[in-house]
Amino acid sequence: MSTTPPVAVDLARENEELRSQLEEAQDLIHAIRTGAVDALAVQSSEGPRIYTLQGADQGYRTLIEQMNEGALLLTEDATVMYCNACMADLLGRPLAEVMGSAFNDFVPPTSRDYWASILLRGWGGKSKGELPLQTKAGALVPFLVSMNVLLFNDTPALAVIVTDLSAQREITAIRAQVAEQNTLLDRKTEELKREEAARLVGERAAAEASRMLEGISQIAWTTNALGEHTYRNRRWYDYIGQQQHQGNASGRSWRERLHPDDAVATLARWQQSLNTGQPYEVECRIRNGGGDYRWMLGRAQASCNEQGEVIQWIGTYTDIHEHKLALERIDHGQRQLRDNNEQLTRVNVDLDNFIYTASHDLKAPISNIEGLLHALLVELPVATVQTEPVQPILHLMQDSVNRFKRTIEQLTDVSKLQKEHGIPAQYVDLTAVIRDVRLDLEPLIQLSGASVDVAVDTGTTVLFSEKNLRSVVFNLLSNALKYRDPARLPRVQVRARTEQEFVVFEVEDNGLGLGDASEQKLFGMFQRFHDHVEGSGIGLYMVKKMIENAGGHIAVQSKLGVGSTFCVYFAQ
């Protein structure tokens, strides 16, 4: 019978003991990982190290296991030394699968750099950050990670608290939605408050308007922003002959009482005001209680709130029937006046033509008479012509012929003056015209011994016809010299000044002067008040016509025995 060598037996027994120890170690590690025993297994460079929990730590472990947040203990290489059940649930993995694994395996690749920076700050003291972690199903869940370094059996470990942010973000979204709804509700509430305030303001305004409008003499009314009547004062119901609630509403409506010829334009104007907010004003005829249409002036203004929105319209109707009829009478009178003016214009044209024709036709007979008078002087003996009865008669005949010729010439000038009305004027140098007229009158000035003082600034101009201006100046200066007082030397003063829109030309003399009665007739045609001076009495009439045709006027101040002052107002 053979026996086994001793070495082999020892090796077999030693192998069996090692197998038994290995199984016990595996069971211990499994128990620690599953939480069946109070110890921690940590893999190190020297092999697995077992950390048992002291009895005083049992309460803390129980607290951590009951937390709703995940709890971890990490080694320096981020190996999970410990995690609670909540952490495993958050990752959707069995607790045994999380314990002893590398935490980096739960961090998505895109966030690992950020995780490394948080981890580095955590080993330096404290750290916190938001980090997505991947569940076993592959879903990414947002977490808040908080870290702090602890000493565990004299070995440093990183304690990590992991909080699920999904619910918090849902709560944040819900809160945002609630806040948005609350904002909308607040806005709606503010709108309702504004509408209520506007309504109250409108009611107060309507009440105040009603109180004030009852006291005025016009028909007064108010409407809302849409043009619907909210108030009519007592004057309206007096006008239509009804009580406030008598009959149907259409019978009290102003629209139904408009004159058919005015309805379309009036309603269109009212609608335009409603659309634009512009003031309403219209003249229309409205039927009263007796069935008669009377002219009314309708006016209305929009009343607005602080935002510029129309809240009501306040309007009146004023009876202008008599005024309208008066305007129609005035218009009728103006048409008649225009017709009369046109007729007078035609008469003036006919008169001008008659004057021109008469003066032209009278020239031939008067020329014949003058020729016969000269022939008679040739035929009569010289002795007979120079006798006392014949010479005065011949002189009177010649004088009559000359006056007749001058009258015909002046009538022609009057006709020409009428035709020249409306011819454009130009600025004429007044001082130059005065100088030329004075030279023409120099013989008369020398003969009468008169002094003529001219006080007109050089360069003074008037807007007038140059020919007519010369005629005006000549007539006034020559009259001042001709109608001098024989008891004193004549003195004539010529001045010019500016007065508002006129240049005033003045000629003052110390001649015979006129009484009040004569002064009123001075500018009439063929008016003469001093027979000792030759003249036809038509010169001042023509002066007045020329000045008035140019938009000016002439005035005179005269006193009998003292002198006269003529003031000519040239319009500029």
Side-chain angles (χ1 to χ4, degrees):
M1 177 174 173
S2 63
T3 59
T4 304
V7 177
V9 173
D10 293 339
L11 289 176
R13 186 173 56 254
E14 185 179 352
N15 186 34
E16 185 65 28
E17 290 176 358
L18 290 174
R19 184 180 294 111
S20 177
Q21 291 176 2
L22 178 61
E23 289 177 358
E24 289 177 1
Q26 288 177 346
D27 290 341
L28 177 60
I29 292 173
H30 178 72
I32 292 172
R33 286 182 173 177
T34 57
V37 296
D38 296 331
L40 295 176
V42 178
Q43 185 70 31
S44 66
S45 58
E46 299 175 357
R49 298 181 64 182
I50 306 301
Y51 298 90
T52 60
L53 297 176
Q54 302 297 327
D57 296 332
Q58 181 64 33
Y60 294 108
R61 178 178 177 184
T62 302
L63 175 62
I64 292 173
E65 288 295 335
Q66 298 299 322
M67 288 173 56
N68 289 328
E69 283 83 10
L72 298 166
L73 281 178
L74 301 180
T75 63
E76 293 182 359
D77 58 357
T79 300
V80 179
M81 291 195 308
Y82 166 79
C83 78
N84 63 357
C86 181
M87 185 68 235
D89 291 339
L90 291 176
L91 293 175
R93 300 173 186 272
L95 182 61
E97 186 177 334
V98 179
M99 298 268 300
S101 61
F103 192 79
N104 289 353
D105 295 340
F106 309 130
V107 179
T110 55
S111 301
R112 285 178 181 172
D113 290 341
Y114 178 63
W115 160 245
S117 65
I118 296 176
L119 190 63
L120 182 61
R121 290 198 305 272
W123 282 108
K126 293 183 179 181
S127 180
K128 181 184 290 186
E130 291 186 10
L131 183 71
L133 297 178
Q134 193 167 23
T135 66
K136 189 171 184 178
L140 293 179
V141 180
F143 291 97
L144 174 64
V145 179
S146 300
M147 304 178 182
N148 192 20
V149 176
L150 299 176
L151 288 177
F152 192 76
N153 289 348
D154 297 328
T155 301
L158 191 62
V160 182
I161 301 297
V162 180
T163 304
D164 188 356
L165 297 179
S166 301
Q168 183 176 347
R169 293 189 176 181
E170 290 179 3
I171 291 173
T172 302
I174 293 172
R175 286 178 178 174
Q177 185 176 2
V178 170
E180 183 179 358
Q181 293 295 330
N182 289 339
T183 302
L184 293 175
L185 183 60
D186 292 341
R187 189 179 301 120
K188 188 64 177 179
T189 302
E190 288 298 324
E191 290 179 0
L192 291 175
K193 288 181 180 179
R194 284 197 299 270
E195 291 176 0
E196 179 65 15
R199 185 184 66 80
L200 293 176
V201 170
E203 290 179 355
R204 287 195 296 268
E208 182 66 16
S210 301
R211 185 183 65 80
M212 296 178 60
L213 296 178
E214 280 295 336
I216 66 176
S217 59
Q218 291 98 336
I219 294 171
W221 47 272
T222 63
T223 73
N224 58 20
L226 300 177
E228 300 166 347
H229 274 87
T230 55
Y231 166 78
R232 299 182 181 95
N233 71 349
R234 174 57 55 186
R235 304 295 180 275
W236 170 254
Y237 297 103
D238 293 342
Y239 181 77
I240 65 175
Q242 293 184 12
Q243 297 299 321
Q244 185 171 359
H245 299 292
Q246 181 182 352
N248 55 23
S250 62
R252 300 189 296 271
S253 172
W254 67 282
R255 292 178 175 84
E256 301 298 328
R257 292 179 171 273
L258 283 172
H259 193 284
D261 294 342
D262 304 334
V264 174
T266 301
L267 294 176
R269 183 68 186 86
W270 173 233
Q271 189 61 47
Q272 181 184 5
S273 295
L274 291 177
N275 294 338
T276 62
Q278 295 177 350
Y280 168 71
E281 182 169 338
V282 71
E283 292 182 2
C284 60
R285 286 163 287 184
I286 300 178
R287 188 178 71 252
N288 61 16
D292 299 324
Y293 286 96
R294 294 185 65 83
W295 281 101
M296 294 284 181
L297 172 61
R299 287 175 174 168
Q301 288 279 354
S303 177
C304 301
N305 58 19
E306 295 179 354
Q307 289 74 35
E309 301 167 343
V310 176
I311 58 175
Q312 71 170 349
W313 288 84
I314 302 176
T316 60
Y317 280 110
T318 304
D319 192 323
I320 59 169
H321 193 72
E322 302 303 330
H323 175 70
K324 195 75 173 180
L325 294 181
L327 290 179
E328 290 179 356
R329 289 193 294 270
I330 292 173
D331 185 60
H332 178 69
Q334 289 177 341
R335 287 197 299 270
Q336 286 187 330
L337 183 60
R338 285 195 295 270
D339 294 341
N340 292 338
N341 285 338
E342 291 175 359
Q343 184 177 359
L344 287 175
T345 300
R346 290 193 296 270
V347 171
N348 284 336
V349 171
D350 294 341
L351 182 59
D352 290 341
N353 292 333
F354 170 76
I355 292 174
Y356 180 78
T357 303
S359 61
H360 181 270
D361 293 345
L362 287 174
K363 284 181 180 179
I366 199 63
S367 298
N368 291 336
I369 292 174
E370 187 176 22
L372 291 174
L373 181 59
H374 286 302
L376 180 61
L377 288 174
V378 173
E379 294 296 331
L380 287 176
V382 176
T384 303
V385 171
Q386 294 178 350
T387 58
E388 183 62 26
V390 176
Q391 187 177 18
I393 292 174
L394 292 175
H395 180 73
L396 289 174
M397 291 177 64
Q398 184 63 51
D399 186 56
S400 297
V401 168
N402 291 338
R403 286 202 307 273
F404 203 105
K405 290 171 65 178
R406 285 196 300 272
T407 301
I408 292 174
E409 291 175 356
Q410 289 172 342
L411 286 175
T412 303
D413 291 339
V414 171
S415 177
K416 290 180 180 178
L417 183 62
Q418 291 295 106
K419 288 182 172 61
E420 290 175 353
H421 178 51
I423 295 177
Q426 59 184 355
Y427 283 99
V428 183
D429 189 345
L430 180 60
T431 55
V433 173
I434 295 173
R435 182 177 62 251
D436 292 345
V437 170
R438 185 174 177 177
L439 290 175
D440 292 342
L441 293 175
E442 189 62 29
L444 183 57
I445 293 173
Q446 295 292 337
L447 179 66
S448 63
S451 63
V452 179
D453 300 328
V454 179
V456 179
D457 293 338
T458 303
T460 301
T461 60
V462 294
L463 188 61
F464 209 69
S465 166
E466 184 176 2
K467 177 176 68 67
N468 290 345
L469 179 61
R470 189 181 188 287
S471 178
V472 170
V473 175
F474 185 87
N475 269 279
L476 295 181
L477 287 181
S478 62
N479 284 349
L481 296 172
K482 286 191 297 183
Y483 295 102
R484 59 186 178 273
D485 191 331
R488 54 181 176 268
L489 290 175
R491 186 171 183 272
V492 181
Q493 298 181 63
V494 181
R495 297 182 292 269
R497 55 186 170 84
T498 301
E499 184 176 310
Q500 296 179 351
E501 68 272 20
F502 296 98
V503 173
V504 184
F505 172 65
E506 294 183 357
V507 176
E508 181 181 353
D509 64 60
N510 63 342
L512 296 171
L514 296 170
D516 293 339
S518 299
E519 186 178 322
Q520 296 176 0
K521 302 177 182 179
L522 181 62
F523 296 103
M525 190 180 292
F526 302 115
Q527 295 291 331
R528 301 186 68 235
F529 304 102
H530 300 288
D531 295 333
H532 68 284
V533 178
E534 292 185 1
S536 60
I538 204 170
L540 288 179
Y541 169 81
M542 293 184 64
V543 167
K544 183 173 183 292
K545 278 294 181 183
M546 285 186 289
I547 296 170
E548 290 179 349
N549 287 347
H553 60 277
I554 185 170
V556 61
Q557 293 179 350
S558 184
K559 189 172 183 180
L560 190 62
V562 177
S564 304
T565 301
F566 288 84
C567 297
V568 180
Y569 292 80
F570 294 101
Q572 297 302 297

